[in-house]
């Protein structure tokens, strides 16, 4: 089983490496993953061979603390939330320590450096006779700094005693050496004063080193404070997700509305939602209608209409209307809880690129201690001066920074996965995030990924040009297809409903297998189906054959409609699974990133090629059975390609698992956790592009961090050891070494925080035509997008929120001839793409009917 633990006392990567090593040695433990940033640990172990007590004992034996997360039903109270509370409390305590340290360090530094800098000092601190007062005052000012920063000594010496030294051990050893040197100086001063040796007193009075100990501890604490505060920002995405969960829920108990803690909501409860309320758990609407803002879960800004039978998810906001729903998933089973868990696990996981840094950090501290001892010994042998040996030894100890190495990867991973979650992209592991940046081929499933996943009417072609624009044909076809359950029939019925056309009444409906449908309308027998059905009825399809062939070449299904009684054609209706609005844009974006785009589908070659040409796909694999998709992915990999597969996460599961990175698109509230490495919450292929761009940005950031962390230590340690002394004739003061060490970690974290400014690209102008508009022509095919289009911009008064823009967009989209609507709440405008025959008055009337006022049409 897998169990998460909270771990206390870890301050650097050496700590996390020691904890991981200690727990790995416990019999029955299969895998350990320690998250330094989250102060947590995920352990996979055999319940029959070990348990929580043994694992916690192993952590404590290594010099750290461990505990199980507090139990609770609310999804927000996760281990990360408790770790965040601990971090906030630690930051508050660290701030108090820092203020106290500076209050005593400032006078200590002024007093110790006053003689050298010529600063004014009280007479009592001048002269050989007052040397002991001068030294004791410095010691007294140092003691509070040592006291408030005793954590470095408690943790540092404890881990050193257990043969697992960490960064605190380096600080404790370095500052202790400076303090011990100062105490020796005090005894030397006392000896000199007692024996009348003024030269001895003057020598040691100016060489106390007590201010160095105080400065080291204060600057290290300052660095840790800035680092901790910055690390807190890396988890803001998780914190925002946790804050989305409401604390209470209104449920029906015995016919009465009762407000209860969300932890007490049970599966099957009826939950009441008022306007403006946040949905507490997942469920299915029982009665009532409303529009729901699901942007927190999917990143989709427009509200979604909900009615009986529709699913709702925890954390979504009810914009208008009231409804009741039955709870289906509560507590840790909700969509929100799954999202939080995915982000936490991805943040805690380690990317392959981090392995080198982890190996270095694991032996870093012992090596540094060895270098410090060798440095001090060499300088003592060369100069015979304890001061030189102490200066170089302490400088080596405090300048060395395993933290910068250890933080280089996890902070970037945490910010990157959090940023992905904000955009509806759930990344399951750091390894998937790293691998994604190396792919050179992206394989896209057609149905449901590139296309809408359901057929829509694309063309209406009446056989009689004088019959109008095809409304009569569509109304008759809707009546004929109404009783049928075939997907093509549903597309025709839905198109008629969208146009508010009443379906023609029919009787005697009959479905002819492999051909189509037949029914009686009035006194005429009407049939609708493929060419074979028309020919078998004795009707010549030749007048529309060319148009039907042209439609088929475009990947559309051409349905013939005819009057069997009068033996004449009525027209053609073309139906197709139209591409999603952003599919062409996404394919183009993939190619701009240098990726080869492959479409994988079970459709026939003609249809697949037509869709491929329309979207700009470079390679099409058609007529591939679901069980063979995995084999096609494997074949690409055998050609040396790194493959990412984008599918629906269910029927594409084998292919998703076989790919180097699998992305499940359109998972929505049914997160396909087991079938993919990355889950895209929306059915928008542009999110897959965003995932690739995010991966490249994160790995680039990690490489920058690792480079600077390694370079810092490569330059800093030799400088502190005095290897550059022959060139610069200057020794590095331990105080400056401490400042450099602190800033190295702060710089690495700050660089990682730049990822918070990553933006997902959206280019509305590049979006392909929406599938709902239908081409109509009396005798020729008008391809989608081939009709002359124009753009109009409406300035609209009264829009106050996303629900308003959604209502206006819906109203404008229903205007015949409108092919696309792009709303802007900030500009209070609507950009409408439409045919030249769409009048301004029609657009204005649609907006007015929705309850808003059009100020101008541009």
């Amino acid at each position: 089983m897998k169990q998460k633990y909270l771990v206390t006392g870890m301050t650097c990567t050496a700590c996390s490496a020691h904890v991981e090593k200690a727990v790995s040695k416990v019999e029955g433990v299969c895998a350990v993953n320690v998250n330094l940033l989250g102060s947590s640990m995920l352990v996979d172990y055999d319940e029959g061979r070990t348990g929580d007590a043994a694992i916690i004992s192993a952590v404590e034996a290594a010099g750290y603390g461990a505990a199980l997360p507090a139990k609770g039903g609310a999804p927000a109270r996760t281990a990360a939330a408790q770790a965040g509370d601990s971090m906030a409390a630690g930051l508050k305590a660290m701030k108090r320590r820092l203020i106290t340290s500076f209050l005593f360090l400032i006078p200590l530094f002024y007093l110790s450096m006053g003689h050298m800098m010529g600063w004014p000092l009280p007479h009592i601190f001048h002269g050989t006779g007052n040397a002991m007062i001068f030294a004791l005052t410095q010691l007294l000012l140092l003691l509070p700094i040592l006291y408030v920063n005793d954590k470095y000594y408690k943790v540092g010496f404890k881990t050193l005693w257990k043969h697992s030294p960490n960064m605190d051990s380096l600080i404790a050893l370095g500052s202790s050496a400076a303090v011990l040197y100062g105490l020796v100086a005090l005894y030397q001063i006392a000896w000199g004063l007692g024996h009348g040796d003024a030269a001895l007193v003057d020598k040691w009075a100016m060489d106390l080193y007590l201010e160095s100990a105080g400065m080291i501890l204060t600057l290290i604490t300052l660095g840790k404070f800035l680092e901790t505060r910055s690390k807190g920002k890396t988890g803001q995405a998780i914190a925002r997700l946790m804050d989305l969960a409401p604390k209470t829920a209104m449920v029906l108990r015995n016919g009465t509305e009762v407000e209860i803690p969300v932890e007490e909501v049970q599966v099957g409860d009826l939950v009441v939602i008022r306007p403006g309320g946040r949905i507490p758990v997942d469920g299915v609407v029982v009665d009532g209608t409303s529009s729901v803002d699901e942007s927190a879960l999917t990143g989709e800004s427009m509200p979604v209409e909900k009615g009986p039978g529709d699913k709702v998810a925890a954390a979504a906001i009810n914009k208008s209307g009231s409804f009741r729903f039955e709870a289906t998933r509560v507590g840790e089973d909700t969509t929100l809880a799954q999202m939080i868990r995915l982000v936490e696990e991805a943040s805690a996981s380690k990317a392959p690129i981090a392995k080198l840094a982890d190996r270095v950090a694991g032996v870093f501290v012992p090596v540094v201690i060895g270098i410090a001892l060798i440095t001090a010994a060499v300088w003592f042998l060369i100069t015979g001066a304890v001061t030189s040996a102490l200066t170089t030894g302490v400088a080596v100890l405090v300048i060395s920074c395993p933290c910068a190495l250890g933080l280089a990867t996890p902070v970037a991973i945490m910010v990157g996965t959090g940023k992905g979650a904000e955009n509806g992209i759930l990344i399951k592991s750091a390894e998937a995030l790293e691998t994604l940046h190396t792919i050179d081929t992206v394989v896209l499933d057609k149905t449901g990924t590139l296309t809408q996943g359901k057929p829509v009417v694309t063309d209406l072609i009446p056989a009689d040009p004088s019959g109008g624009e095809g409304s009569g044909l569509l109304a008759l076809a809707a009546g004929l297809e109404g009783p049928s359950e075939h997907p093509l029939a549903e597309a025709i019925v839905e198109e008629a409903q969208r146009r508010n056309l009443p379906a023609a009444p029919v009787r005697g409906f009959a479905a002819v297998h492999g051909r189509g449908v037949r029914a009686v309308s009035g006194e005429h027998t009407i049939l609708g189906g493929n060419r074979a059905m028309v020919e078998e009825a004795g009707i010549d399809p030749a007048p529309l054959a060319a148009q039907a062939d042209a439609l088929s070449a475009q990947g559309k299904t051409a349905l013939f409609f005819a009057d069997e009684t009068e033996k004449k054609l009525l027209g053609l209706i073309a139906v197709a699974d139209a591409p999603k609005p952003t599919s062409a844009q996404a394919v183009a974006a993939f190619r701009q990133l240098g990726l080869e785009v492959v479409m994988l589908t079970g459709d026939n070659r003609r249809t697949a090629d037509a869709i491929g040409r329309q979207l700009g796909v470079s390679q099409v694999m058609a007529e591939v059975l679901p069980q063979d998709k995995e084999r096609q992915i494997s074949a690409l990999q055998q050609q040396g390609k790194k493959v990412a597969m984008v599918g629906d996460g269910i029927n594409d599961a084998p292919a998703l698992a076989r790919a180097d990175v699998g992305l499940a698109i359109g998972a929505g509230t049914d997160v396909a956790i087991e079938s993919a490495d990355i889950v895209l919450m929306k059915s928008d292929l542009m999110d897959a592009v965003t995932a690739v761009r995010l991966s490249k940005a994160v790995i680039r950031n990690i490489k920058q961090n690792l480079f600077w962390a390694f370079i810092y230590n490569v330059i800093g340690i030799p400088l502190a050891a005095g290897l550059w002394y022959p060139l610069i004739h200057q020794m590095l003061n331990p105080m400056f070494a401490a400042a450099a060490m602190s800033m190295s970690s702060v710089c690495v974290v700050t660089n990682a925080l730049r990822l918070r400014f990553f933006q997902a690209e959206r280019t509305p102008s590049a979006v392909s035509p929406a599938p709902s508009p239908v081409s109509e022509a009396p005798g020729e095919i008008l391809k989608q997008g081939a009709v002359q289009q124009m753009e109009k911009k409406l300035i609209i008064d009264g829009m106050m929120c996303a629900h308003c823009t959604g209502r206006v967009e819906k109203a404008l989209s229903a205007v015949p001839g409108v092919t696309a609507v792009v709303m802007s709440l900030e500009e209070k405008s609507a950009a409408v793409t439409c045919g030249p025959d769409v009048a301004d008055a029609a657009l204005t009337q649609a907006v007015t009917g929705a309850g808003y006022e059009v100020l101008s049409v541009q």
Side-chain angles (χ1 to χ4, degrees):
M1 68 169 290
K2 288 186 178 181
Q3 177 62 53
K4 180 169 281 189
Y5 301 84
L6 299 179
V7 182
T8 57
M10 296 190 300
T11 57
C12 68
T13 310
C15 299
S16 60
H18 291 312
V19 171
E20 194 166 309
K21 185 177 180 181
V23 177
S24 297
K25 292 180 179 179
V26 176
E27 184 179 357
V29 170
C30 305
V32 185
N33 204 337
V34 179
N35 182 4
L36 175 62
L37 291 179
S39 298
S40 63
M41 171 179 66
L42 185 66
V43 182
D44 186 1
Y45 64 90
D46 184 350
E47 291 181 272
R49 300 170 62 192
T50 189
D52 296 330
I55 292 171
I56 291 173
S57 296
V59 175
E60 292 173 345
Y64 304 90
L68 289 167
K71 298 294 183 182
R77 297 310 303 163
T78 61
Q82 296 169 49
D85 294 342
S86 176
M87 180 179 288
L91 191 63
K92 188 175 181 180
M94 199 178 297
K95 186 176 182 180
R96 288 197 300 268
R97 284 168 43 203
L98 185 61
I99 293 173
T100 303
S101 297
F102 269 111
L103 284 176
F104 288 93
L105 176 66
I106 293 172
L108 171 60
F109 185 76
Y110 185 92
L111 180 62
S112 63
M113 303 297 291
H115 292 95
M116 183 186 304
M117 305 300 295
W119 296 335
L121 289 172
H123 179 73
I124 196 172
F125 298 122
H126 288 281
T128 304
N130 292 323
M132 183 56 75
I133 296 175
F134 176 71
L136 284 175
T137 303
Q138 290 189 49
L139 178 63
L140 291 174
L141 289 171
L142 175 64
L143 289 176
I145 300 176
L146 296 175
Y147 176 74
V148 297
N149 293 292
D150 62 342
K151 173 179 174 289
Y152 296 120
Y153 301 99
K154 291 178 179 177
V155 176
F157 286 123
K158 181 179 180 181
T159 55
L160 184 63
W161 179 258
K162 294 181 178 292
H163 306 291
S164 57
N166 61 4
M167 190 197 73
D168 288 343
S169 304
L170 298 179
I171 299 168
L173 288 172
S175 59
S176 296
V179 172
L180 290 174
Y181 185 86
L183 292 176
V184 170
L186 277 171
Y187 276 92
Q188 292 287 351
I189 293 171
W191 176 271
L193 290 173
H195 293 78
D197 190 344
L200 184 66
V201 173
D202 290 339
K203 173 190 174 183
W204 287 98
M206 293 298 105
D207 203 15
L208 287 169
Y209 258 99
L210 294 174
E211 80 284 353
S212 291
M215 184 67 77
I216 288 169
L217 291 171
T218 303
L219 290 179
I220 295 296
T221 302
L222 173 62
K224 295 295 289 183
F225 174 76
L226 295 175
E227 177 189 323
T228 304
R229 190 173 65 173
S230 297
K231 285 195 295 187
K233 295 178 182 178
T234 66
Q236 283 183 352
I238 297 178
R240 280 194 287 267
L241 286 175
M242 294 173 182
D243 291 340
L244 293 176
K247 303 298 184 289
T248 61
M250 188 72 71
V251 301
L252 281 177
R253 295 282 171 84
N254 299 321
T256 305
E257 293 184 8
V258 181
E259 187 172 12
I260 61 174
V262 70
E263 296 92 335
E264 296 180 10
V265 178
Q266 300 176 359
V267 174
D269 278 347
L270 281 180
V271 183
V272 181
I273 301 296
R274 305 294 185 197
R278 197 179 288 273
I279 296 171
V281 296
D282 292 5
V284 178
V285 177
V286 175
D287 59 66
T289 59
S290 181
S291 61
V292 175
D293 180 1
E294 297 179 336
S295 59
L297 298 172
T298 66
E300 178 60 57
S301 59
M302 300 307 299
V304 180
E305 297 296 327
K306 299 290 184 180
D310 291 333
K311 294 180 180 180
V312 292
I317 301 174
N318 181 33
K319 304 297 290 185
S320 64
S322 300
F323 63 90
R324 294 186 301 172
F325 72 91
E326 181 181 346
T328 57
R329 292 191 293 191
V330 301
E332 294 297 325
D333 296 327
T334 65
T335 301
L336 177 64
Q338 291 180 14
M339 288 178 63
I340 294 172
R341 186 163 57 250
L342 276 177
V343 176
E344 283 182 348
E345 290 177 357
S347 300
S349 63
K350 292 180 180 178
I353 196 173
K355 292 178 180 178
L356 174 61
D358 285 347
R359 286 197 296 269
V360 172
V363 298
F364 187 87
V365 176
V367 170
V368 167
I369 293 174
I371 293 174
L373 292 174
I374 293 172
T375 300
V378 169
W379 276 98
F380 180 74
L381 292 174
I382 294 174
T383 64
V386 176
T387 304
S388 297
L390 181 68
T391 299
T392 53
V394 172
V396 168
L397 287 172
V398 298
I399 200 172
S400 306
C401 187
C403 285
L405 283 172
L407 292 170
T409 297
V411 289
I413 293 294
M414 176 171 278
V415 178
T417 52
K419 197 67 185 176
E422 289 179 7
N423 289 279
I425 302 168
L426 302 185
I427 302 165
K428 292 178 63 177
S429 70
E431 183 176 359
L433 186 63
E434 179 178 346
T435 304
L436 188 59
H437 96 286
T438 66
I439 66 166
D440 52 33
T441 304
V442 58
V443 178
L444 307 174
D445 176 53
K446 182 185 81 70
T447 306
T449 300
L450 282 167
T451 64
Q452 298 283 355
K454 58 178 292 186
V456 294
V457 174
T458 60
D459 299 82
L460 285 175
I461 307 175
D464 182 3
S466 63
E469 296 183 344
S471 298
L473 172 63
L474 182 60
L476 182 61
L480 180 63
E481 301 283 3
S484 174
E485 296 180 354
H486 196 280
L488 299 182
E490 292 178 3
I492 293 173
V493 173
E494 288 179 5
E495 180 62 25
Q497 292 174 346
R498 189 184 73 83
R499 296 184 174 211
N500 296 319
L501 294 176
V506 298
R507 64 184 187 277
F509 172 84
V512 183
H513 182 69
R515 293 293 185 266
V517 295
R518 177 183 280 109
V520 178
S521 176
E523 302 299 325
H524 297 264
T525 299
I526 309 298
L527 58 84
N530 55 25
R531 186 178 307 193
M533 185 176 192
V534 174
E535 292 174 341
E536 290 172 2
I539 302 171
D540 184 10
L544 296 178
Q547 290 94 327
D549 291 340
L551 290 168
S552 297
Q554 297 174 39
K556 302 174 182 178
T557 300
L559 299 176
F560 288 83
F561 289 87
D563 185 337
E564 189 175 12
T565 303
E566 297 187 3
K567 303 295 182 182
K568 72 173 184 178
L569 286 175
L570 299 177
L572 279 177
I573 295 181
V575 180
D577 184 5
K580 293 179 180 178
T582 58
S583 291
Q585 179 189 0
V587 171
F590 277 130
R591 299 183 71 170
Q592 288 176 358
L593 290 172
L595 305 180
E596 180 183 355
V597 182
V598 179
M599 185 176 78
L600 195 63
T601 178
D603 283 354
N604 63 73
R605 171 59 63 179
R606 173 185 278 190
T607 299
D609 286 342
I611 295 293
R613 286 193 303 271
Q614 184 177 351
L615 298 178
V617 176
S618 52
Q619 182 180 352
V620 176
M621 294 182 178
E623 300 175 0
V624 180
L625 298 175
Q627 60 267 29
D628 294 332
K629 290 184 178 181
E630 183 266 345
R631 194 176 305 145
Q632 296 291 342
I633 298 294
S634 181
L636 289 171
Q637 291 172 327
Q638 289 172 9
Q639 297 173 22
K641 296 179 179 179
K642 282 277 191 178
V643 182
M645 168 72 184
V646 186
D648 62 15
I650 301 173
N651 59 357
D652 295 317
L656 289 168
R658 167 62 64 181
D660 295 285
V661 181
L663 297 93
I665 188 171
T669 54
D670 297 318
V671 182
I673 294 175
E674 298 301 326
S675 61
D677 303 298
I678 297 174
V679 180
L680 310 178
M681 296 295 289
K682 298 194 299 259
S683 294
D684 189 346
L685 194 57
M686 280 301 298
D687 283 348
V689 178
T690 300
V692 175
R693 290 181 55 246
L694 179 63
S695 170
K696 292 180 180 292
V698 169
I699 300 305
R700 183 167 57 247
N701 190 281
I702 289 174
K703 289 179 178 178
Q704 292 169 354
N705 288 344
L706 287 174
F707 173 79
W708 289 114
F710 275 112
I711 288 297
Y712 165 80
N713 284 289
V714 167
I715 296 175
I717 292 177
L719 177 63
L723 293 182
W724 291 7
Y725 184 79
L727 295 176
I728 61 176
H729 302 290
Q730 187 71 39
M731 303 294 289
L732 182 65
N733 190 298
M735 291 185 289
F736 293 112
M741 193 273 265
S742 297
M743 291 311 298
S744 66
S745 296
V746 174
C747 289
V748 165
V749 175
T750 303
N751 185 52
L753 288 175
R754 291 191 305 112
L755 288 169
R756 294 195 301 163
F757 301 106
F758 174 88
Q759 294 291 333
E761 286 186 0
R762 285 290 182 270
T763 313
S765 60
V767 176
S768 59
S772 55
V774 179
S775 299
E776 302 172 0
E780 61 177 336
I781 304 297
L782 294 180
K783 299 179 183 178
Q784 282 194 24
V787 182
Q788 181 184 356
Q789 298 287 299
M790 63 185 301
E791 290 190 359
K792 298 183 180 183
K793 187 174 183 180
L794 283 68
I795 306 301
I796 302 170
D797 184 37
M799 295 193 301
M800 304 297 292
C801 63
H803 177 60
C804 297
T805 59
R807 189 178 298 170
V808 172
E809 181 178 13
K810 184 177 181 180
L812 288 171
S813 298
V815 176
V818 172
T819 58
V821 180
V822 178
M823 304 298 302
S824 173
L825 182 59
E826 293 76 12
E827 298 180 3
K828 308 293 184 184
S829 67
V832 180
T833 303
C834 59
D837 57 338
V838 177
D840 293 350
L843 300 175
T844 302
Q845 183 178 358
V847 175
T848 304
Y852 303 89
E853 180 182 358
V854 177
L855 300 179
S856 66
V857 179
Q858 303 172 1

